[in-house]
Amino acid sequence: MKQTKWWKHSVVYQIYPRSFQDSNGDGIGDIPGIISRLDYLRELGIDVIWLSPVYESPQDDNGYDISDYYGIYHEFGSMADMEELIAQAEKRGIRIVMDMVVNHSSDEHAWFLEARKDKNSRYRDYYIWREGEKGQLPNETKASFGGPAWEWDEEAGAYYFHLFSKKQPDLNWENEAMRRDIYRMMRWWLDKGLGGFRLDVIDNIGKVPDAMIRENGPKLHDYIREMSREAFQKYDIVTVGETWGANVDNAKLYSNPDGSELSMIFQFEHICASHSEEYGKWKQEKKDFVRLKKIFTDWQKALHGCGWNSLFWDNHDLPRAVSAFGNDGIYRVESAKALATFLHGMQGTPYIYEGEELGMTNIRLEDLAQVRDIEARNIYEELKEKGWNHQEIMEAINMTGRDNARTPMQWDDTENAGFTAGTPWIGVNPNYREINAAAEMADENSVFHYYKKLIALRKSAEWGDVLAEGTYEPYLEEDGDIFFYVRSLEGKRLLVLGNFSDRERTVELPFGIRKTVLTNYPEIRMEGNTVVIRPYEAVMAEPT
Ligand code: TEU
Ligand code: CA
């Protein structure tokens, strides 16, 4: 294959440590548990693990609230376990990407404890304070997890700023000493042999609280370039920024091929397309596939040759892909494969969220006691105040709440899906008896085997370069059921075609099929250039 950055041929697998594999029966997934499943991941064929946070943390937001960047949270294991994970993964050709949360820390971080205690501490300015009067908020900024973004702190006698929970005070990126401390910490981790970082809500670090600017502040890209220079560029790593406020223009800055910022970003246009004005993700419109395809097309075209895309349907904050975009009932298997085909045929680095490769689904919760996620627990109260009834709120949480992604990985059909010998911290999805890794590994028509083939394709001598470098040309753009595009590189072409609906469709293609590469039905029904595409059927093929 052509010489290029290694991560342009990689497939990343995200692990949410709390929910992946418990090794000691306390019901909480841990690092030794992950190590015990590395052979499964090697079998799947992925190259990189993105590990959600395992640092020292009071776990107010499951580790996205870090109290010591240099420590490992005891329930997840020890620093020795972490080093062992890096080494054991490396033996299997897998790199570890750690999740870096530097927009905010925990309120239990030593910096914050010092800052709140002593106005003259060198750490005071590591956070964002506004003095004034209790009860008089500096401004109306809201926190993402509900309530105001300003919290009165008795000990400090001032308000501090938090874009997420009040146990996640925002770091002040204006402070140079703070930035230096962060870069030093990043290098310390990279020196352990990491494959890189996923950077949590990185587009918030340029915030201007007084002007109520959250994303895309004026100094954002200066900070990212500095971070890249001071930490990333010293290593051969992959970096991916989480950026809810990204657009195709600033994406070219973030993922500039000159390496001055990051390797790529996660953008969320396809995720937010169905969100409502008033209630965001909690009230959604029906998915509009014409619009969805257009979003993907825009990103494919805009970044070709001048940036790099990340490709994903779900993660630990999102509902399960097959439930949100496919059909998790009778066409679960077909639609999981069709969604994967659509995504893995594109240019960019594909991300698989744990269980996605099994076609794991959303879970149905009946009452608040079953809900674990802080975001959902807070929104429950907020929606209640706005007049929603219990049923309506649970409906919304079941549709889009983050716990959907956080139910334990379904390994086999034994008690608790093989996740734990104890009581799991969050309920197992009862469908684990049918949907689990052991069953799917034994069935060559499973979602698991389909993902394995898609991953192998990206590394194959025949298709690897077309997938990594090829142009992208969409067809039938106005069709609300059918997705259809062609990737081309130096005369080699790959056709990607499928049906996003549960209707059978007959479609006329501009060319025929010379050779099928991958299908999710036993055979293709085609005569001349006319193809009959069944519900959620998907095809990769070489066109005539
Ligand atoms: O998420 C960023 C973020 O904006 C979330 O609040 C997001 O809007 C929501 O989860 C969508 O459902 C990142 C992490 O991925 C998330 O897990 C953390 O809770 C959050 O940052 C705070 O660190
Ligand atoms: Ca455990």
Side-chain angles (χ1 to χ4, degrees), residues 175-238:
N175 184 297
E176 196 185 333
M178 189 285 293
R179 299 204 304 274
R180 303 263 155 232
D181 278 346
I182 293 287
Y183 306 149
R184 184 176 323 122
M185 177 275 293
M186 286 173 163
R187 291 192 301 266
W188 185 85
W189 273 109
L190 291 169
D191 285 336
K192 290 191 181 290
L194 288 186
F197 292 125
R198 177 261 189 189
L199 298 144
D200 193 61
V201 290
I202 202 65
D203 59 350
N204 286 141
I205 65 173
K207 77 208 100 186
V208 186
D210 294 322
M212 294 183 63
I213 297 174
R214 313 163 78 106
E215 281 99 23
N216 305 326
K219 292 192 194 152
L220 171 63
H221 290 275
D222 293 341
Y223 296 149
I224 294 179
R225 277 192 289 269
E226 181 183 75
M227 186 187 298
S228 179
R229 226 172 28 240
E230 297 297 320
F232 308 154
Q233 289 171 35
K234 302 180 192 299
Y235 305 83
D236 180 22
I237 56 170
V238 64

Side-chain angles (χ1 to χ4, degrees), residues 61 64 104 145 198 200-201 242 281 316-317 375 402:
D61 186 20
Y64 285 89
H104 44 270
F145 295 158
R198 177 261 189 189
D200 193 61
V201 290
E242 187 202 22
K281 71 174 184 176
H316 66 293
D317 293 331
E375 181 187 58
R402 306 197 296 182

Side-chain angles (χ1 to χ4, degrees), residues 22-24 26 28-30 75:
D22 177 23
S23 71
N24 60 352
D26 65 357
I28 296 169
D30 47 49
E75 289 186 329

Side-chain angles (χ1 to χ4, degrees), residues 16 50 61 64-65 99 101 104 144-145 164 168 198 200-201 204 215 242 244 281-282 315-318 373-375 400 402 406:
Y16 197 66
W50 151 23
D61 186 20
Y64 285 89
D65 49 320
D99 211 321
V101 189
H104 44 270
S144 288
F145 295 158
F164 295 91
Q168 294 167 300
R198 177 261 189 189
D200 193 61
V201 290
N204 286 141
E215 281 99 23
E242 187 202 22
W244 287 77
K281 71 174 184 176
W282 303 108
N315 64 34
H316 66 293
D317 293 331
L318 301 174
D373 177 30
I374 182 172
E375 181 187 58
T400 200
R402 306 197 296 182
R406 301 174 181 185

